[in-house]
Amino acid sequence: MFAISPLFVCAALALLRTTSAVGTPFGLAAGTTGGGSATPSVPSSLAQLTTWLSDSTPRVILLESIYDFTSNEGTTTGTICKPWTCSPNPQVAIDANSWCEDDEPSAAKSTATWYKAGTTPLAVASNKTLLGKGSSGGIKGKGLKISGASNIIIQNIQIVDINEEFVWGGDALQIDGGSNIWVDSNYFQNIGRQMVVTGYGAVTKTTFSNNVFNGQSTYSATCNGCHYWTAFFTGNGDQITFALNYLYMTSGRGPHVGGFSGYFQDIHVYNNYFVSIEGNALDPEIGSKILLEGNYFNAVTTPTLTGAGQTYIPTTSAQTAACSSLLGRACVANVLLNSGALLAGTDTGTLNGFTASTYKSASIMAASAVPSYVQAHAGVGIVN
Ligand SMILES: *[C@@H]1O[C@H](CO)[C@@H](O)[C@H](O)[C@H]1NC(C)=O
């Protein structure tokens, strides 16, 4: 056993309160109830799952197996382009909404065939809990989309295998406006585009926690077996907690925040374990304020890009102490092992975005405890 620090005990007790099926959301999503006390029900078909997710009845939808949408809508053949010329196995891009002409006009074009199901996600309405049982509940070949809905829990499911060769082949989870959303203990792998993405509407009171973002993939925009399109938070007014997640073998957008002039985001990134990232983790762009504390970077080529976003990533005692005047507590230092240097993260103006009580009272363990904790708790098969 590793030594248990007092801060670790606080975090452990907070999680121990979560003994019921779905536990207790924390961070900005605190108070989220999803389908509440509705009787958990197992959908009998892809069609029933689709209906239950999108109707106006509060529901607890229990997935005991993988719902495989992959070939359910057949295939389509169309134009692709090849913006990445690296090898081996570059991703290609479906020419969706003239993206190839507009963004990659010099890329070679071709035709290819992909599964239609991946390009149209399942709508998720308000007051839903989507809960996996054990480690074998989930959705394959199609993702989820929340559009302006609230009070949603997505927990303990796999979302995997969505046209992984094809950018614009599908996202695992899109949120375009919404609040009180808890995305906890899920597993993402082999996705064409984003594992998770917000925008353009504000996504508030939302926590992504204990998720595994497994970037290990055959096809990659960076041709190194590591998925580039991990997490992208770009809604206009996003306020998100991103904690206790396990990012493994990704190569970009871990997360990417901001990028649209006039939009703003406040993202609290703590106690995540970043491992074997052959590329960049944080990508801070215009409009963003991002506070990283107590994260552990292990073999990360570029822990953060430079960028127009505001970032605070303390690693020294003077830097952790500088949080006290605005947060009423010291921040928790980040740790880097066998990783590149931080290219950003000393802008104390960032802290102006993190004065709400949620940030002040967050239970954050020492970064040194994060690798063991996250490996034991992130992903499916733990909470239910
Ligand atoms: C969700 O549940 C709340 C509380 O019961 C209710 O007020 C609200 O109308 C529901 N939302 C939808 C879209 O059904």
Side-chain angles (χ1 to χ4, degrees), residues 56-58 125-127 150-151:
S56 57
T57 305
S126 296
N127 299 329
S150 64
N151 196 26

Side-chain angles (χ1 to χ4, degrees), residues 15 104 115 125 135 153 194 202 285 342:
L15 290 166
E104 299 288 345
Y115 292 110
S135 58
I153 296 172
Q194 290 300 138
E285 272 306 329
L342 290 171

Side-chain angles (χ1 to χ4, degrees), residues 85-105:
T85 54
C86 52
S87 69
N89 303 325
Q91 282 192 294
V92 297
I94 295 170
D95 192 12
N97 303 311
S98 301
W99 185 79
C100 293
E101 291 75 13
D102 294 346
D103 284 53
E104 299 288 345

Side-chain angles (χ1 to χ4, degrees), residues 70-155:
T70 306
S71 55
N72 194 43
E73 295 160 38
T75 59
T76 193
T77 298
T79 305
I80 56 142
C81 59
K82 301 180 177 182
W84 304 285
T85 54
C86 52
S87 69
N89 303 325
Q91 282 192 294
V92 297
I94 295 170
D95 192 12
N97 303 311
S98 301
W99 185 79
C100 293
E101 291 75 13
D102 294 346
D103 284 53
E104 299 288 345
S106 58
K109 285 199 179 143
S110 185
T111 57
T113 300
W114 56 89
Y115 292 110
K116 286 169 80 171
T119 60
T120 52
L122 298 164
V124 183
S126 296
N127 299 329
K128 306 286 184 183
T129 297
L130 181 59
L131 176 66
K133 178 79 177 168
S135 58
S136 54
I139 300 170
K140 184 173 172 176
K142 204 174 190 62
L144 302 171
K145 181 167 187 178
I146 297 167
S147 300
S150 64
N151 196 26
I152 295 166
I153 296 172
I154 299 168
Q155 188 177 48

Side-chain angles (χ1 to χ4, degrees), residues 188-190 195 212-220 222 224-230 246-252 273-280 298-300:
F188 302 95
Q189 190 177 17
N190 292 334
M195 290 178 164
V212 172
F213 298 91
N214 186 346
Q216 189 169 19
S217 57
T218 301
Y219 297 98
S220 161
T222 41
N224 56 357
C226 298
H227 186 70
Y228 180 83
W229 322 96
T230 311
Y246 190 175
L247 281 76
Y248 174 71
M249 282 186 73
T250 59
S251 65
Y273 188 33
F274 298 87
V275 189
S276 298
I277 313 268
E278 284 186 46
N280 66 278
N298 182 357
V300 177

Side-chain angles (χ1 to χ4, degrees), residues 33 35 102 106 120-121 139 154 158 187 235 237 263 271 283 320 353 362 374 383:
T33 56
D102 294 346
S106 58
T120 52
I139 300 170
I154 299 168
Q158 305 181 37
Y187 180 92
Y263 285 17
N271 286 160
D283 184 351
T320 58
V374 166
V383 296

Side-chain angles (χ1 to χ4, degrees), residues 24 28 33 57-58 66 121 136 151 154 157 159 179 201 226 229 244 263 299 334 341 355 364 376 384:
T24 304
L28 287 164
T33 56
T57 305
I66 298 291
S136 54
N151 196 26
I154 299 168
I157 66 167
I159 305 181
S179 65
C226 298
W229 322 96
L244 302 163
Y263 285 17
N334 299 279
T355 58
I364 303 175
N384 189 34

